[in-house]
Amino acid sequence: MSFAWITAIKELKRRMREPATFLLWLAIPLLVCLLLGLATGSRGGKATPPRVHLLIADEDATFLSGMLVGSFSQGALGDFFRVENVDAAEGQRRIERGQASALLVIPRGFGQALIDRRPTRLKLVKNPAQRILPEIAEQTLEILADGAYYLQEIFADPLDMIRRAQARSGADISDRDVASVAISVRHAIGGAGRYLFPPALEVNVTHPASSSSDSGPDRMTSIGLLFLPGMVFMGLFFTSQSLSEEIWLEREHGTLARLAIAPSSLLAVLSGKLIAAFVVLGLLAAGALGGGSLLFDLPAARIPLAAAWSALAGTALVALLLLLQLFAPNARAGSVLTSLIGFPLLMVGGSFFPLDTMPSFLATIGRLTPNGWALTRLMELLRSEAGPVEILPPAAILLASILVLLFVAGRRAQIIAGGA
Amino acid sequence: MPESMIEIENLRKEYGDLVAVGGISFEVRAGTIFGLLGPNGAGKSTTISCISSLIRPTSGEVRIAGHDIRRDSVAARRHLGLVPQELALYEDLSAAENLRYWGAAYGLRGRQLQQRLASVLEAVGLADRAKEPVKRYSGGMKRRLNFACGLVHEPRVLLLDEPTVGVDPQSRVRLLELVRQQAESGTAVLYTTHYMEEAQGLCDRLAIIDHGKIVAEGDLAQLQAMLGEKDLVRLSGRFDPAVVAARMERIDAAEIVQLENDSLVLALPRAGRALPEIFEAAAEAGAEIRETTISRPSLETLFIKLTGRELRE
Ligand SMILES: Nc1ncnc2c1ncn2[C@@H]1O[C@H](COP(=O)(O)OP(=O)(O)O)[C@@H](O)[C@H]1O
Ligand SMILES: [Mg+2]
């Protein structure tokens, strides 16, 4: 057996030792699907998702901290979280008594730090007796934190204005300042920002403004086909990101260096990691698509091929993210870098907001993004517009990209293994 | 004479302005243990990394079993086993799974791998807990496993980078015994350490490295001869260096190794008998002495004599 396969088996073994993480990756898109199913009154309506009981101590009490609290209780996240406002001491007592899943403390100065674009720290206390629910709280918070960084970038202009206005007039901000900030915020939102927020998603849940509703059978326009593939891709993205972050552990634990000096090549090692990623992503995609098909009545026969395609696309994504991680100076930068590239692609490429419901010029751009392109192929597979034969050339393209990325990553890994 | 398994010529590694290894040469023969002895930051790990091709030297040659590590890299690496200074293990896998994986990285498969696994686990005393995940091991057990991973493929050249740092005394004795066994079976061992006693008891040949340079090399007897029969006398207190230096030089056969405001180190034969004379000289020079120690010739005293510094900071 070649060393690539041996590495793949080792990686899978390690993944299986962490079933909680595994389930979580699966849970995010599936829960979203379930919610969509509930919201749109499709079948399976009796099941309710588990909710995370989250205590929040907002010591900052500013507009921005309020927004963070709100993001847990409104929109798509609101269905995962039951939020209760407490003060920090009481929250701590209740966590110790096991009366909630987690306690989030937003420190004084949080809002100002965000405005100043300074790093700031949130504190999350997890209930040690629970496993999955506090984990969901933590993951969500991390995603929001990356999102906040991203928002700081998008809203750099308005934030700048607020800061300058503050500097000019202390705490008082004049009406004129507010007006110009508002205009500039609108401007920013008019850009990419519009598609970032869960509310945008929600509006479209209740009004599925499908452009293709009169051009095909009912199923095609069903909520499932509209949202499920994008959700699956979102889940694959988060999973791929975690899988690519593995390389930092290999670096920190010295195992990458040990591999780099063995006679087997790092190319074999990275190939093994990608094979393992393919299996993991395939299982997740099959689970998500399978679950989705039960909810939305999709034909089960199309699931295996669709899952295999999703896994291949996800593997190409892992290869790309892995390469980015190998060029990042540290793990934190790697995480931000992959998010900075991933989130806009997810947004434009139809994962936050279905391609079919986007304005046509945006949808055209969206289909040209790599993930939008792969997502369109997945749609075709699920709609039976494409079968095994039609999917072969795109699969060959993906495979070729994977090989190119792999080769570059192998060279890069050899260079940085020595700590350079 | 046994075959030369590690040959290093003028090895040099620079990081910008910093010279981590400044052109060193030595060789290690089959069946012998070569000690590279030096304080933290001397360049030991950098040397090991260059030998194992983990980092590219700025200049110089490295040959493993006759294969150039750059030009003939795969052949050279096949003979190499490395036990890195930091643990390099998969903590979520068991000892057996780790060993199987590292063995596979060196091309071992099937029965051969299984046999090596069993014998290595036995040797490091982990056979009865081989199936447990490594994260449940004690520090000493992890060290032993880290060691085992470096020799599961029976390398002819073994590089050990401070393998006993942070190891409990029991595990330490066991590790040193294992190193000896490896050498007895014909392996060439390069052993770095900053523990004098360890190097003294273990190594057939020694090089003392400081600031990236080898300041002395030889077997134990040769190194001790460099020091001569001189003891080291260390005085701490308050000194006026210029006055003290002038006065001490008059003491017969005494050599000033180090002299600062608060400490003075002298090398001289039969220091015990010369103590009254030293105290008298110190008093005449107006020095105030708080503490005095005498050490017999050893690698430790040799290091101080060669570099003017203590080995352990
Ligand atoms: N990657 C690196 N970049 C810059 N300097 C380094 C790097 N690695 C080691 N050094 C420096 O090289 C010198 C030798 O380090 P090292 O070989 O680790 O010493 P030792 O193993 O003897 O303690 C030290 O001054 C160290 O700071
Ligand atoms: Mg070192």
Side-chain angles (χ1 to χ4, degrees):
Chain A
M1 199 170 15
S2 87
F3 193 56
W5 286 106
I6 293 174
T7 302
I9 291 168
K10 176 215 61 168
E11 288 292 314
L12 288 172
K13 254 189 206 150
R14 298 180 61 209
R15 293 292 90 74
M16 279 185 308
R17 305 271 153 95
E18 289 277 346
T21 321
F22 208 78
L23 285 176
L24 193 77
W25 290 338
L26 189 64
I28 293 176
L30 266 190
L31 284 177
V32 175
C33 274
L34 200 62
L35 287 170
L36 286 173
L38 293 176
T40 53
S42 99
R43 60 197 53 229
K46 272 186 224 88
T48 46
R51 287 176 104 203
V52 182
H53 185 179
L54 180 66
L55 305 176
I56 298 186
D58 182 1
E59 297 180 336
D60 189 37
T62 58
F63 166 68
L64 285 168
S65 69
M67 259 179 62
L68 178 64
V69 175
S71 65
F72 277 104
S73 51
Q74 294 153 13
L77 287 179
D79 296 292
F80 296 100
F81 290 95
R82 184 154 69 82
V83 172
E84 197 180 332
N85 291 303
V86 293
D87 69 50
E90 188 204 340
Q92 192 69 40
R93 267 197 305 280
R94 288 181 52 190
I95 284 289
E96 276 158 21
R97 282 194 232 118
Q99 289 170 350
S101 300
L103 164 69
L104 172 66
V105 180
I106 307 173
R108 202 162 288 123
F110 165 81
Q112 194 59 44
L114 216 58
I115 289 173
D116 295 344
R117 302 174 73 194
R118 272 187 287 113
T120 167
R121 192 178 289 265
L122 293 169
K123 184 172 149 204
L124 187 74
V125 187
K126 295 193 281 186
N127 179 347
Q130 296 180 355
R131 276 197 68 139
I132 304 278
L133 295 182
E135 197 72 17
I136 289 181
E138 184 181 339
Q139 295 272 336
T140 307
L141 199 60
E142 275 178 14
I143 291 168
L144 284 177
D146 281 343
Y149 173 85
Y150 186 55
L151 282 178
Q152 283 180 338
E153 294 301 307
I154 291 184
F155 293 111
D157 282 350
L159 285 175
D160 234 25
M161 267 186 219
I162 295 176
R163 195 167 41 244
R164 265 184 278 125
Q166 274 182 338
R168 235 183 301 124
S169 51
D172 302 325
I173 300 179
S174 73
D175 284 353
R176 216 185 41 151
D177 287 331
V178 172
S180 61
V181 167
I183 289 170
S184 138
V185 167
R186 266 245 296 285
H187 212 77
I189 292 181
R194 195 165 67 197
Y195 301 101
L196 186 68
F197 301 106
L201 188 68
E202 228 175 29
V203 171
N204 287 280
V205 174
T206 42
H207 308 288
S210 169
S211 54
S212 53
S213 57
D214 44 12
S215 63
D218 279 350
R219 269 208 300 274
M220 261 176 51
T221 56
S222 78
I223 297 297
L225 273 182
L226 200 57
F227 285 98
L228 183 61
M231 291 299 144
V232 170
F233 266 51
M234 199 194 312
L236 292 185
F237 172 78
F238 291 129
T239 312
S240 303
Q241 200 180 21
S242 310
L243 288 173
S244 74
E245 278 164 7
E246 246 311 287
I247 199 72
W248 289 105
L249 293 181
E250 297 257 13
R251 285 179 75 170
E252 282 153 21
H253 290 178
T255 43
L256 184 67
R258 193 166 224 164
L259 284 167
I261 63 161
S264 58
S265 86
L266 280 185
L267 209 56
V269 174
L270 296 183
S271 308
K273 282 183 175 292
L274 289 189
I275 294 170
F278 180 80
V279 174
V280 169
L281 295 169
L283 287 175
L284 291 184
L289 288 170
S293 75
L294 290 181
L295 274 174
F296 300 116
D297 216 9
L298 301 179
R302 298 175 197 166
I303 303 299
L305 191 59
W309 167 258
S310 308
L312 191 63
T315 306
L317 181 63
V318 175
L320 175 67
L321 298 183
L322 183 65
L323 191 60
L324 292 175
Q325 302 282 8
L326 288 173
F327 276 96
N330 55 51
R332 179 72 199 152
S335 166
V336 169
L337 183 66
T338 48
S339 295
L340 269 180
I341 290 180
F343 279 135
L345 285 178
L346 283 179
M347 268 193 295
V348 181
S351 284
F352 285 8
F353 189 81
L355 285 168
D356 285 351
T357 61
M358 280 186 184
S360 65
F361 80 96
L362 254 178
T364 311
I365 297 173
R367 289 196 179 89
L368 289 175
T369 60
N371 55 315
W373 171 80
L375 187 60
T376 311
R377 302 287 90 71
L378 174 61
M379 295 275 206
E380 289 167 1
L381 287 173
L382 287 173
R383 289 170 179 158
S384 288
E385 288 166 11
V389 178
E390 287 81 6
I391 204 68
L392 269 184
I397 293 177
L398 277 187
L399 210 56
S401 338
I402 291 173
L403 290 179
V404 171
L405 289 166
L406 185 61
F407 184 74
V408 183
R411 299 294 292 268
R412 177 68 188 168
Q414 193 77 45
I415 292 171
I416 62 168
Chain B
M1 212 194 261
E3 200 185 343
S4 177
M5 295 300 289
I6 307 178
E7 294 161 275
I8 291 173
E9 276 170 43
N10 289 320
L11 182 71
R12 189 176 176 85
K13 178 67 191 179
E14 296 166 5
Y15 290 107
D17 286 342
L18 185 122
V19 180
V21 176
I24 63 174
S25 307
F26 60 88
E27 61 172 14
V28 185
R29 294 181 177 276
T32 66
I33 304 174
F34 187 95
L36 199 57
L37 182 65
N40 280 332
K44 303 183 296 293
S45 294
T46 306
T47 304
I48 295 252
S49 293
C50 289
I51 298 176
S52 59
S53 80
L54 192 58
I55 60 178
R56 183 185 277 258
T58 309
S59 62
E61 304 264 318
V62 176
R63 277 184 300 281
I64 303 297
H67 304 282
D68 187 287
I69 192 74
R70 299 265 294 282
R71 279 187 293 279
D72 201 0
S73 169
V74 173
R77 290 182 201 191
R78 197 158 289 154
H79 296 295
L80 266 183
L82 170 67
V83 178
Q85 183 168 6
E86 309 290 335
L87 296 173
L89 302 167
Y90 292 107
E91 302 241 335
D92 40 9
L93 297 181
S94 69
E97 286 165 333
N98 267 286
L99 285 168
R100 211 173 286 133
Y101 185 63
W102 296 116
Y106 283 83
L108 296 185
R109 299 286 188 277
R111 273 199 46 178
Q112 196 194 5
L113 179 57
Q114 211 51 43
Q115 280 168 359
R116 280 302 296 161
L117 195 74
S119 90
V120 163
L121 278 170
E122 193 59 46
V124 295
L126 292 172
D128 51 335
R129 297 184 60 181
K131 295 210 162 67
E132 255 179 66
V134 172
K135 60 179 164 224
R136 282 203 236 129
Y137 281 13
S138 71
M141 289 167 74
K142 287 181 189 171
R143 282 269 154 208
R144 281 184 271 154
L145 178 60
N146 195 42
F147 184 81
C149 290
L151 46 89
V152 62
H153 58 291
E154 291 185 284
R156 295 170 68 195
V157 173
L158 191 56
L159 309 177
L160 301 168
D161 196 1
E162 309 211 27
T164 55
V165 170
V167 169
D168 57 283
Q170 215 180 329
S171 291
R172 181 176 185 152
V173 169
R174 186 160 210 159
L175 277 176
L176 293 179
E177 190 45 46
L178 280 166
V179 175
R180 274 189 207 100
Q181 281 171 17
Q182 286 296 312
E184 275 159 24
S185 70
T187 309
V189 181
L190 175 60
Y191 190 102
T192 82
T193 182
H194 66 269
Y195 294 128
M196 290 294 163
E197 320 79 58
E198 223 174 77
Q200 226 160 331
L202 184 70
C203 301
D204 303 303
R205 222 181 143 73
L206 278 158
I208 296 179
I209 183 170
D210 188 40
H211 293 307
K213 293 232 181 255
I214 291 181
V215 292
E217 191 194 331
D219 59 28
L220 200 56
Q222 287 168 329
L223 290 179
Q224 276 172 344
M226 285 178 68
L227 189 66
E229 281 303 293
K230 290 183 177 180
D231 299 330
L232 277 194
V233 180
R234 248 169 291 202
L235 305 171
S236 64
R238 231 165 2 95
F239 307 99
D240 181 342
V243 183
V244 168
R247 180 62 186 82
M248 289 294 168
E249 263 158 18
R250 278 191 266 145
I251 298 175
D252 197 28
E255 187 185 333
I256 297 175
V257 173
Q258 185 201 45
L259 177 55
E260 279 161 23
N261 288 331
D262 56 353
S263 75
L264 166 66
V265 181
L266 295 171
L268 72 171
R270 289 186 303 278
R273 285 200 220 155
L275 266 189
E277 197 184 343
I278 293 172
F279 286 146
E280 196 188 307
E284 277 175 28
E288 183 186 309
I289 295 173
R290 275 195 297 274
E291 204 185 314
T292 311
T293 50
I294 300 183
S295 0
R296 301 287 305 149
S298 70
L299 286 182
E300 186 111 35
T301 50
L302 177 60
F303 183 83
I304 295 164
K305 187 177 166 219
L306 288 171
T307 66
R309 292 186 295 118
E310 305 275 331
L311 188 58
R312 259 161 280 174
E313 50 287 285

